[in-house]
Amino acid sequence: MDKDQLYMQRCLELASNALGRTYPNPVVGSVIVYQDKIIGEGFHKRAGEPHAEVTAINSVKDKSLLPHSTLYVNLEPCSHYGKTPPCADLIIKWKIPRVVIGTIDTSAKVSGKGIEKLKAAGIDVKVGVLEKQSRWINRRFFTFHEKKRPYVILKWAQTADGFIDRERTDNIRKSNIITSRWARTLVHKWRTQEQAIAVGTNTVINDNPQLTVRLWYGNNPIRICLDTKGRIPANSRIFDNSAQTICLIQEEFRNLHTLLNHLHSINIQSVIIEGGTKFLESFLNQNLWDESRIFISKSLFLKGIKAPEIKGHYIKKLDFEAETLFILTNEKNNSDIYSDF
């Protein structure tokens, strides 16, 4: 890595600290460098609070160094007034002569305007340093604004012999656990990073899931269930008031495009789909998914409900004592924000 890439990597590390806490804003980190030394850094912690550039500038003890420094940020500085003033104006105010940006902010309110403002003020602006990585860390934000739908993550666990669940014959509501507590803890961490979590009717009826964060610290996702025929019992745990729940009962939501359009209309940037098989397969069959996270356990069911079949680009494989985790992306949907980096 050259120096610009090294400092941009630090921006990305800082930004990752706020995954799941900044919606509807992106995750952003910023560092300020004077004579090859970081003199200030920060990240955007949550919506309504100071942006990364503001925090980084405020952290610099000797402000007289700012007119001789470089500011790094993984996303284009904003140029409009929202809950906070424009970051581009603050950079100009402190006469920072050079700004290095990971990627352009393609949302309608920014879309190059921040870069134009900086250049108009005579600032040397460099764009596209670790651009793929910068788009990847904000893939939810970019998908929402560019494709007008949430970023869709499919998640399931299956046995070594390819089953996602046992056959249901006793009408008892219970979850047939496939993975270890470690894997379940990781799933709860994932839940804190996504804005919503969705399941189909049969999953609610059979498993009676709570769909909250209990094994990790963080925000509960919005719980979404589809119940177009009104079959979900009123005493189901998704109605326990421990987290916001949206139950969609209209027949129109059988169409996944309608469902995703609705989620976009209520400003949901990401949704993790946790089953069951038919619900997962509907996203796969219509190519309406972006990422998939699959645990394959060493356990055997011998018979049961078959897990979905998927084709995608493998980006990560992690082997653990009781299971293996595979993470895939849908290259058809993500070719512009992912590469092997």
Side-chain angles (χ1 to χ4, degrees), residues 282 312 328:
S282 65
L328 302 81

Side-chain angles (χ1 to χ4, degrees), residues 22 34 61 100 131 162 220 312:
T22 64
Y34 172 75
K61 293 181 180 180
V100 179
E131 184 174 15
N220 286 317

Side-chain angles (χ1 to χ4, degrees), residues 101-120:
I101 299 168
T103 186
I104 293 174
D105 180 343
T106 57
S107 64
K109 290 182 178 180
V110 185
S111 192
K113 300 182 184 71
I115 294 171
E116 291 175 4
K117 182 175 282 191
L118 294 175
K119 287 183 175 180

Side-chain angles (χ1 to χ4, degrees), residues 19 104 225 245 293:
L19 280 172
I104 293 174
C225 64
T245 300
R293 302 169 183 179

Side-chain angles (χ1 to χ4, degrees), residues 174-330:
K174 63 179 181 180
S175 176
N176 287 312
I177 296 174
I178 294 175
T179 54
S180 65
R181 184 176 177 84
W182 174 90
R184 297 195 298 276
T185 300
L186 179 58
V187 169
H188 282 224
K189 179 183 178 181
W190 289 343
R191 288 177 181 177
T192 70
Q193 298 173 352
E194 308 311 327
Q195 204 168 357
I197 184 170
V199 292
T201 304
N202 289 335
T203 295
V204 178
I205 292 174
N206 293 332
D207 294 353
N208 195 20
Q210 197 168 355
L211 303 180
T212 55
V213 178
R214 302 178 303 283
L215 302 178
W216 200 261
Y217 176 79
N219 298 326
N220 286 317
I222 299 170
R223 300 180 293 196
I224 298 169
C225 64
L226 302 185
D227 189 22
T228 55
K229 295 184 179 180
R231 295 192 294 127
I232 294 178
N235 64 350
S236 297
R237 291 197 291 179
I238 60 167
F239 301 130
D240 65 4
N241 295 320
S242 61
Q244 182 181 351
T245 300
I246 299 173
C247 192
L248 303 173
I249 59 175
Q250 292 96 332
E251 186 71 20
E252 64 183 291
F253 290 115
R254 286 181 176 275
N255 182 312
L256 292 187
H257 288 281
T258 302
L259 170 63
L260 295 180
N261 286 340
H262 177 70
L263 297 184
H264 181 270
S265 73
I266 58 176
N267 295 317
I268 291 179
Q269 288 188 12
S270 72
V271 59
I272 185 165
I273 310 297
E274 286 211 8
T277 297
K278 290 183 179 179
F279 195 37
L280 290 163
E281 286 179 340
S282 65
F283 285 90
L284 290 167
N285 292 338
Q286 296 184 48
N287 198 40
L288 287 173
W289 66 281
D290 299 290
E291 188 175 337
S292 186
R293 302 169 183 179
I294 306 165
F295 290 100
I296 299 182
S297 167
K298 294 180 181 179
S299 61
L300 300 172
F301 278 1
L302 301 181
K303 62 179 181 178
I305 300 173
K306 277 288 188 181
E309 295 184 2
I310 185 171
K311 292 182 179 179
H313 179 72
Y314 285 88
I315 61 172
K316 186 176 292 186
K317 175 187 175 184
L318 297 173
D319 289 307
F320 301 96
E321 185 175 349
E323 58 265 309
T324 300
L325 169 63
F326 294 91
I327 299 180
L328 302 81
T329 62
N330 185 341

Side-chain angles (χ1 to χ4, degrees), residues 27-53:
V27 291
V28 184
S30 179
V31 300
I32 298 173
V33 177
Y34 172 75
Q35 293 186 352
D36 295 332
K37 180 182 178 181
I38 294 177
I39 60 172
E41 63 180 27
F43 62 94
H44 181 46
K45 293 182 177 179
R46 54 182 54 85
E49 295 191 10
H51 288 186
E53 301 95 318

